[in-house]
Structures are given as structure tokens and as C-alpha cells.
């Protein structure tokens, strides 16, 4: 890349923050020990670093360090939560409740469980992307063992009422899992206040390195047990075997620590810039609308419907200048309409005419203005051609 396009796809991934990278560097070759080989100083130092990160991550969500299980990312965390609970509590019930707009890393494990005689209720959403809490209550059965609802949607940024869902789960004594991959660093999370029993996280969405994540697993009130999905040396309290990615974990810990520390100001800054971006586009483009909820959304997310354009061809035209997406990164190789936009109840066309912006730490008034003017100019050119 000679001149790099402006990156506005922070729901797909984020760069490693330089402050995070700096903390990681010694753990590649200087402090290279295996955190499970504690018969000597090398291993002990690595373990000390892992435990510091575990504490940083636990603190970020109001948990205890021993409740954090390191994984390779949120895909693995979701798989471990869903399959781990299903296998462990099979005798108590075979019913799971989730939602149609979840990430494939929740929907696909659910599908696998259905093939093993589990029953899954996929709650629908309203036009804003929110589930109906009465419908959630009504779908609970005596066989329900798990409710899995994401904290923030990766496409439209809609925020779930975690505390209310947690209360329902607690009332009916059902485990509550939330995929909080997109919410960490943008929404204050407290697993006790919100009665969350399992929570998935990913480092690369919070300016940490790729290939590392965590699953929070509640230890008391109630104690959650999981059938391990990776067998081996018994690492991570037996729930996830495999030598720990020490440098990655150190980076993840620092990334969460930093994201939570700067959250109040950063959220306000991003919200203002995101609103400025939308206003800039709305002023010039007829009929554009927000996909998702106007307020209950991530501060850095903007997902818009632009009538009359094919989002994918627009992206091809502008991708020398702006890095944007039409939907979730994991499904962009398929030319299928977004299952999230489709679930909002609009016609098929809307999913093909929607764009997702994910603002990040690099965003400024200048970059936002530039992005909106590039898109507006392209659309003007297009409408002049079709006259
Ligand atoms: N859940 C959500 C909501 C996500 O946005 C993503 C990443 N697109 C994942 C899970 C998967 O995370 P990872 O890349 O860490 O496996």
C-alpha cells in the first residue's frame, strides 16, 4: 500500500496500540518461559506476567482473576461456553435460547448442538435489532439451561439490556452467557451487577494482538462448570488445555486495562465524531437511514442504508481511499445479504444497500469530514452518470 486508505473498520479488527506492543515485546525472546513450567525462573516470570494480565482483564469486567480462562479468541470462547455448558448440563435440560442476530461464532455452535438433539430458540428482533424481554421469558422451558445474548452487535452496534436479561436468567436459574467481543472498552460491564455467568472477549477488538481472547466463567453464585473442549495438559483449571500465549496474553491484559481507563473520554469523543459523520452524509444524501437503534448503540458504530446504491460496488470504487465494510468480516467472503440487517424486517434490498463504519482511535474531525466527502462525491458522480 503506498498511501493507505483511512481505516474505518474497527469492528473487524483494531491495530495493536503502541503502548500495548511495548509491554508485549520482552515476552517474545527475553522472558520466553512456559507459564506452566514453574520449576525455574523462566517459567515463573512468564506465569507472573500471565497472572497480572488475568487480573487486569478481571478488573475490567468486575470479575475475580481465577474466573478468567484464556483462549485463542472470541470464536473459541463462544464455542467453549455453548458446547461446554451443553455437554456438562445435558442431564438437566437440552434447551438453549439465543437470538437471530448473533455472530456466527454463536449461531454455528448452536447449529452443531441442534444436530446432537439440543433444541435452540432463536429469538427474533424488532426493527432496531432488540429482542423482546417478554418473549425471552415466554420462551423459557423447564429444560432451558442457557441464555446466550450478545452485549453489542458487530454490525449495527445495538446494545442488549444485559442487566434485565441477567435478572431473568437468575430468576429462572438459567446460565447467562454474553458475547461481549464488541462491547469491551465501549460499555461499562460488571458481571455481578449484570448477573452474567459466562462472557466472551477478544483481544484484537480492543487494540490488543490477534489470536488471544478469554472466557469469564463464574465461580460462585452459581459455580459454573464446563465440559472442556480442548483436552491435554489441564491448563486453565482444566477448562482449556494448551501452552499459554504469554506475549499475547500480556498484550490483551494491557489492552483491556488501557481501554477501560480511557473509556469515559474516548466514548464521548467517538460518539461526537460518529454523529458528525452521519450528519455530514445525511445533509447530502437523500433518504439515508440508520440501521439499528438511534441511541442504544455502540458509540463508534454507524450502519447506514443508502437507497439506490449497491454497497459492495460503492466500496470497490472508494477502497483506495477508505477501508469500510458492508457487514461482518467473517461473512464478507460470501456474497449473501447480512443476516443482521435481514432480521430487522426490511426487504432484501436493504441488506445490499447498507454500509458499516467502525470509528477508532485514529478518527478525527478531519478524517470524518474526508470520509463523508469522498462518499458524497462518488454518489454525486454516479447520479450524474445515470441522468
Ligand atoms: N463475536 C463477535 C460479536 C465478533 O464481532 C467477533 C469477531 N468478528 C467474534 C465473536 C469472533 O472473534 P475472534 O475473531 O476473536 O474469534
Amino acid at each position: 500500500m503506498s498511501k493507505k486508505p483511512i481505516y474505518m473498520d474497527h469492528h473487524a479488527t483494531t491495530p495493536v496500540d503502541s503502548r500495548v506492543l511495548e509491554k508485549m515485546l520482552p515476552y517474545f525472546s527475553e522472558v520466553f518461559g512456559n507459564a506452566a513450567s514453574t520449576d525455574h525462573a523462566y517459567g515463573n516470570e512468564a506465569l507472573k506476567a500471565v497472572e497480572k494480565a488475568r487480573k487486569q482483564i478481571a478488573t475490567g469486567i468486575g470479575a475475580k482473576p481465577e474466573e478468567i480462562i484464556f483462549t485463542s479468541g472470541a470464536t473459541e470462547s463462544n464455542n467453549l461456553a455453548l458446547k461446554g455448558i451443553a455437554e456438562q448440563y445435558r442431564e438437566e435440560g437440552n434447551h438453549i435460547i439465543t437470538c437471530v442476530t448473533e455472530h456466527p461464532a454463536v449461531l454455528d455452535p448452536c447449529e452443531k448442538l441442534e444436530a446432537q438433539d439440543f433444541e435452540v430458540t432463536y429469538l427474533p428482533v424488532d426493527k432496531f435489532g432488540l429482542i423482546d424481554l417478554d418473549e425471552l421469558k415466554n420462551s423459557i422451558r423447564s429444560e432451558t439451561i442457557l441464555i446466550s445474548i450478545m452485549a453489542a452487535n458487530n454490525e449495527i452496534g445495538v446494545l442488549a439490556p444485559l442487566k434485565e436479561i441477567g435478572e431473568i436468567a437468575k430468576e429462572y436459574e438459567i446460565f447467562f452467557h454474553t458475547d461481549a467481543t464488541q462491547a469491551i472498552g465501549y460499555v461499562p460491564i460488571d458481571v455481578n451487577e449484570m448477573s452474567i455467568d459466562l462472557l466472551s472477549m477478544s483481544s484484537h477488538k480492543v487494540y490488543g494482538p490477534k489470536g488471544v481472547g478469554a472466557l469469564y466463567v463464574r465461580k460462585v453464585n452459581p459455580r459454573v462448570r464446563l465440559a472442556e473442549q480442548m483436552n491435554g495438559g489441564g491448563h486453565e483449571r482444566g477448562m482449556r488445555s494448551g501452552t499459554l500465549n504469554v506475549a499475547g496474553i500480556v498484550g490483551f491484559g494491557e489492552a483491556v486495562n488501557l481501554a477501560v481507563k480511557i473509556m469515559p473520554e474516548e466514548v464521548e469523543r467517538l460518539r461526537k465524531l460518529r454523529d458528525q459523520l452521519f450528519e455530514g452524509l445525511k445533509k447530502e444524501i437523500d433518504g439515508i437511514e440508520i440501521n439499528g437503534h438511534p441511541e442504544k448503540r455502540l458509540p463508534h458504530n454507524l450502519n447506514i442504508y443508502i437507497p439506490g446504491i449497491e454497497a459492495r460496488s460503492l466500496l470497490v470504487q472508494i477502497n483506495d481511499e477508505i477501508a469500510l465494510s458492508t457487514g461482518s468480516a467473517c461473512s464478507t467472503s460470501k456474497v449473501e445479504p447480512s443476516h443482521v440487517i435481514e432480521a430487522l424486517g426490511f426487504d432484501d434490498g436493504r441488506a445490499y444497500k447498507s454500509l458499516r463504519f467502525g470509528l477508532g482511535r485514529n478518527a478525527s474531525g478531519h478524517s470524518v469530514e474526508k470520509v463523508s466527502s469522498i462518499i458524497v462525491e462518488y454518489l454525486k458522480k454516479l447520479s450524474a452518470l445515470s441522468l
Side-chain angles (χ1 to χ4, degrees):
M1 272 186 280
S2 45
K3 190 171 168 290
K4 284 187 185 173
I6 301 171
Y7 187 76
M8 270 215 184
D9 197 16
H10 289 84
H11 297 296
T13 197
T14 60
V16 175
D17 190 291
S18 58
R19 291 162 283 189
V20 168
L21 179 62
E22 201 185 309
K23 300 274 185 177
M24 290 173 67
L25 289 176
Y27 293 92
F28 287 101
S29 46
E30 221 174 285
V31 190
F32 63 88
N34 184 331
S37 303
T38 51
D39 288 335
H40 47 68
Y42 293 87
N44 278 321
E45 248 191 282
L47 179 63
K48 216 165 91 188
V50 165
E51 293 315 314
K52 180 181 172 196
R54 203 186 296 280
K55 192 163 175 208
Q56 287 173 315
I57 292 161
T59 305
I61 58 167
K64 295 188 205 75
E66 60 273 24
E67 296 176 309
I68 301 297
I69 303 296
F70 287 114
T71 64
S72 62
T75 299
E76 187 188 339
S77 300
N78 286 341
N79 272 268
L80 177 57
L82 290 151
K83 294 174 183 167
I85 287 285
E87 202 179 307
Q88 183 75 32
Y89 295 93
R90 179 70 185 84
E91 299 290 294
E92 294 180 29
N94 70 338
H95 181 230
I96 293 167
I97 301 171
T98 185
C99 166
V100 289
T101 51
E102 292 290 317
H103 190 273
V106 164
L107 295 176
D108 283 7
C110 281
E111 212 176 287
K112 283 272 184 286
L113 290 170
E114 282 181 293
Q116 296 165 25
D117 287 335
F118 278 87
E119 289 183 24
V120 182
T121 298
Y122 299 91
L123 293 172
V125 293
D126 64 14
K127 65 176 179 174
F128 297 125
L130 287 164
I131 59 163
D132 178 336
L133 295 182
D134 287 329
E135 206 167 349
L136 168 63
K137 263 192 192 180
N138 291 337
S139 62
I140 292 172
R141 311 176 193 163
S142 57
E143 309 84 54
T144 310
I145 52 171
L146 180 68
I147 295 172
S148 179
I149 302 289
M150 74 202 311
N153 187 275
N154 49 301
E155 294 192 37
I156 56 173
V158 67
L159 302 175
L162 295 178
K163 193 169 184 329
E164 285 84 345
I165 298 170
E167 271 163 19
I168 294 171
K170 202 170 185 168
E171 183 189 338
Y172 289 86
E173 296 185 7
I174 298 164
F175 294 127
F176 173 31
H177 166 248
T178 188
D179 177 352
T181 306
Q182 297 283 347
I184 302 292
Y186 300 100
V187 182
I189 295 210
D190 186 306
V191 289
N192 291 315
E193 234 174 70
M194 296 167 165
S195 309
I196 296 166
D197 299 310
L198 298 130
L199 179 145
S200 301
M201 293 176 254
S202 182
S203 156
H204 74 100
K205 309 283 183 177
V206 283
Y207 299 85
K210 293 170 184 58
V212 57
L215 180 66
Y216 156 77
V217 185
R218 177 174 290 282
K219 238 186 149 184
V220 285
N221 291 326
R223 182 186 181 94
V224 181
R225 291 177 192 282
L226 287 180
E228 77 274 17
Q229 302 300 307
M230 191 75 85
N231 308 112
H235 307 74
E236 299 299 275
R237 291 174 39 227
M239 287 191 237
R240 200 278 192 179
S241 287
T243 297
L244 293 177
N245 171 3
V246 178
I249 287 169
V250 166
F252 185 19
E254 287 298 330
V256 170
N257 183 44
L258 182 62
V260 171
K261 199 159 82 188
I262 65 172
M263 180 158 56
E265 303 87 61
E266 184 62 358
V267 158
E268 276 324 300
R269 193 184 76 89
L270 289 169
R271 198 192 307 281
K272 274 198 197 123
L273 290 171
R274 188 268 316 271
D275 293 347
Q276 185 186 329
L277 174 62
F278 181 58
E279 289 308 318
L281 293 167
K282 206 171 89 172
K283 217 168 51 195
E284 301 285 343
I285 307 168
D286 286 341
I288 77 167
E289 284 171 25
I290 288 181
N291 290 318
H293 197 281
E295 286 106 38
K296 293 176 189 165
R297 64 189 303 123
L298 288 169
H300 60 311
N301 172 277
L302 180 65
N303 194 314
I304 51 165
Y305 159 66
I306 311 182
I309 63 126
E310 218 272 297
R312 200 163 288 272
S313 37
L314 185 149
L315 289 192
V316 172
Q317 295 300 320
I318 61 171
N319 68 15
D320 277 350
E321 295 174 277
I322 320 170
L324 270 188
S325 156
T326 56
S328 81
C330 320
S331 54
T332 43
S333 57
K334 305 177 205 158
V335 192
E336 279 169 19
S338 146
H339 72 290
V340 176
I341 307 289
E342 289 215 313
L344 306 178
F346 300 99
D347 63 16
D348 236 27
R350 191 168 177 118
Y352 289 108
K353 295 173 188 135
S354 293
L355 279 183
R356 178 185 72 174
F357 302 81
L359 278 67
R361 290 184 190 161
N362 64 340
S364 63
H366 176 71
S367 68
V368 156
E369 232 169 77
K370 184 120 195 266
V371 165
S372 102
S373 76
I374 290 168
I375 294 175
V376 166
E377 236 164 77
Y378 171 73
L379 291 176
K380 279 186 180 158
K381 237 192 283 171
L382 200 69
S383 67
L385 281 177
S386 61
L387 280 179

